[in-house]
Amino acid sequence: MDKNRVRDFARNNIVTIMFIILCAICMVFSGYTPSYVMYELFGRLSRNMFIVLSLIIPIVAGMGINFAITTGAMAAQIACLLVLEWGVSGIAGYGLAVLLSLPLSTLFGWLIGRTFNKMKGQEMIGGLVIGYFANGLYQLLFLFIFDNIIPIKNPNLTIKGSKGIANTMDLSKDGGFASALDKIWRLPVHQAAIVFAGVIAVILVIGYLRSHQKNAKKLGIQIAVLAVVAVLLQTAPLKELFSMVTIPMVTFGCVAVLCLFNVVIMRTKLGQRFRAVGQNGTVANASGINVNQVRIIAIIFSTVLAGWGQLIFVQNMGAFQTYGAHGQVGLYAGAAILVGGASVVRATNAQALIGCVLFHLMFILAPAAGKNLFGDAAIGEYFRVFLCYGVIAIALVMHAWSENKRRKKEME
């Protein structure tokens, strides 16, 4: 029995295990110090976690990985252009971009959801094609419509000596909102750990009281674990490990709020409908659930959240490529969540966060390891790109294999 459990665990988490091993090997040969790796890792996590978490709801609703979140990123970048044109800077500019992206990404999500309802079972390939189609419209908008039909007065946004929007949008110039969210409140890791542990403990206690004081033992264990983690991060070795890292508290707070949102919404009536539709659309329809409407709502949530995640990304970077920053959003986010052990039919917050950590560790370590092993950093770059697409392929193959196995059992 134990052997069967180990075998099932290894089979269900083969991608995660493979990445852990690869990250360990790359760490050995990269030549980087652990403190530098942590510095780079937390910088990447602060700008990428939110987008990865935006994929969970459609997966639960049985629609697979929403590669069409690319359109949410496009909505965010359109909002950025308008904010820069109007010259609204700082946190006010960031907040305005969030508001502007909401109706755009909601409209895009509604259109995508309606399209997905016409191609049930093929949502992932449909999402990729929709992303390519939307990218063509996006290029038309930024190369021709803006600065030709719609005048753009900010000279920093246009192509010098020609028409259309410049290749790069710089959010660090006057009227921009570079690091608007990140610089509100930053703390060293050991202090941030105390703050987050305290907030999580309060949430756990509130949940305990709302559940009519059940699972007291579980609550005690959870709070004890939080206390141990917070204390360990005050020790000298771990302080040294994270010595270069400062945590943008508001940015990671947004990630924490999204994690909480994903948990809470799954306990609501709407969340139960997401699960019912994801488990069996035919049964859900027979029980009176409007399956098509639920699927559209799931895609709208995902697209809106992806747009906000892209805003977190661009304000952290301080600039972005106008015509290419959104291009790989869907593929990279999809690969990251699969690395964490998620599948195209099941995903959790923990899997999204673990996958984000492992995926970006590989992105940090692979080029340096490739350079030290083979004398060429490009080998590491090719390797990590290969892994990005390879992880998606493996996940799809494993899903098809599991489905075939399940159907054979049902026929027997």
Side-chain angles (χ1 to χ4, degrees):
M1 186 66 177
D2 290 337
K3 289 182 178 179
N4 290 334
R5 287 181 179 177
V6 171
R7 183 181 61 193
D8 290 342
F9 176 83
R11 183 180 61 202
N12 294 333
N13 297 277
I14 185 170
V15 175
T16 307
I17 294 169
M18 178 186 72
F19 258 75
I20 291 173
I21 294 170
L22 288 173
C23 286
I25 294 171
C26 288
M27 182 66 201
V28 171
F29 290 102
S30 68
Y32 289 150
T33 62
S35 59
Y36 175 77
V37 172
M38 289 298 104
Y39 168 75
E40 287 288 330
L41 178 62
F42 273 82
R44 286 175 173 269
L45 294 180
S46 66
R47 60 179 177 258
N48 286 287
M49 276 184 166
F50 202 97
I51 295 178
V52 177
L53 288 164
S54 72
L55 293 173
I56 290 177
I57 291 177
I59 292 175
V60 173
M63 305 175 75
I65 298 169
N66 178 22
F67 290 117
I69 59 171
T70 304
T71 59
M74 293 177 194
Q77 289 167 199
I78 294 171
C80 286
L81 173 68
L82 296 176
V83 170
L84 292 173
E85 167 66 5
W86 297 335
V88 184
S89 60
I91 192 64
Y94 178 81
L96 180 58
V98 169
L99 292 176
L100 289 174
S101 71
L102 177 60
L104 283 173
S105 51
T106 299
L107 174 62
F108 295 163
W110 180 75
L111 293 171
I112 293 165
R114 287 181 62 86
T115 304
F116 281 175
N117 283 338
K118 305 293 184 182
M119 53 175 71
K120 291 177 181 175
Q122 305 295 327
E123 292 91 349
M124 286 188 287
I125 187 64
L128 285 171
V129 174
I130 287 171
Y132 295 138
F133 170 74
N135 187 52
L137 297 179
Y138 176 90
Q139 307 287 337
L140 176 66
L141 178 67
F142 276 71
L143 281 171
F144 178 73
I145 296 177
F146 283 131
D147 201 34
N148 284 284
I149 298 175
I150 301 175
I152 299 295
K153 296 180 181 179
N154 187 338
N156 294 322
L157 298 177
T158 56
I159 300 172
K160 308 302 179 186
S162 184
K163 293 290 186 179
I165 303 303
N167 289 328
T168 302
M169 287 194 199
D170 190 349
L171 304 180
S172 63
K173 293 183 178 180
D174 292 340
F177 53 88
S179 300
L181 202 62
D182 291 345
K183 66 185 180 184
I184 293 175
W185 184 23
R186 300 185 75 98
L187 288 176
V189 170
H190 62 281
Q191 294 178 11
I194 295 174
V195 174
F196 281 122
V199 171
I200 294 171
V202 170
I203 293 172
L204 290 173
V205 170
I206 292 173
Y208 168 71
L209 295 175
R210 286 174 61 87
S211 65
H212 307 292
Q213 300 185 1
K214 295 179 181 179
N215 300 320
K217 183 178 179 181
K218 182 180 179 181
L219 173 67
I221 293 172
Q222 290 171 332
I223 292 179
V225 170
L226 286 173
V228 169
V229 171
V231 170
L232 286 175
L233 287 170
Q234 312 307 310
T235 60
L238 289 181
K239 276 188 177 181
E240 176 63 25
L241 176 63
F242 296 104
S243 60
M244 298 175 65
V245 180
T246 56
I247 302 296
M249 297 296 289
V250 177
T251 305
F252 275 96
C254 290
V255 172
V257 168
L258 180 52
C259 289
L260 184 62
F261 172 79
N262 285 337
V263 171
V264 171
I265 196 171
M266 292 306 165
R267 297 178 180 177
T268 65
K269 187 175 181 180
L270 178 59
Q272 292 170 0
R273 289 180 176 178
F274 286 149
R275 293 186 184 279
V277 171
Q279 290 170 0
N280 194 314
T282 303
V283 173
N285 187 62
S287 64
I289 296 174
N290 188 333
V291 172
N292 286 345
Q293 184 184 63
V294 169
R295 286 162 56 90
I296 290 173
I297 292 172
I299 292 299
I300 290 174
F301 270 125
S302 181
T303 309
V304 169
L305 292 172
W308 289 347
Q310 184 71 354
L311 288 174
I312 291 176
F313 177 88
V314 299
Q315 66 84 33
N316 179 278
M317 296 294 290
F320 64 93
Q321 291 183 342
T322 305
Y323 301 99
H326 57 277
Q328 300 297 320
V329 166
L331 286 172
Y332 283 176
I337 200 169
L338 292 172
V339 166
S343 68
V344 295
V345 293
R346 182 179 179 275
T348 64
N349 286 330
Q351 289 169 336
L353 298 178
I354 291 170
C356 206
V357 170
L358 293 175
F359 188 72
H360 287 288
L361 263 179
M362 180 61 66
F363 263 54
I364 295 165
L365 299 172
K371 182 178 180 180
N372 291 334
L373 283 172
F374 307 105
D376 188 356
I379 293 177
E381 180 71 25
Y382 298 147
F383 180 63
R384 70 185 186 183
V385 172
F386 161 75
L387 286 177
C388 171
Y389 294 101
V391 162
I392 295 173
I394 290 173
L396 295 178
V397 169
M398 292 294 292
H399 172 63
W401 179 77
S402 298
E403 280 295 300
N404 288 336
K405 188 175 180 181
R406 181 184 63 81
R407 288 172 184 171
K408 286 180 180 179
K409 284 185 178 180
E410 290 177 353
M411 292 177 66
E412 293 173 356

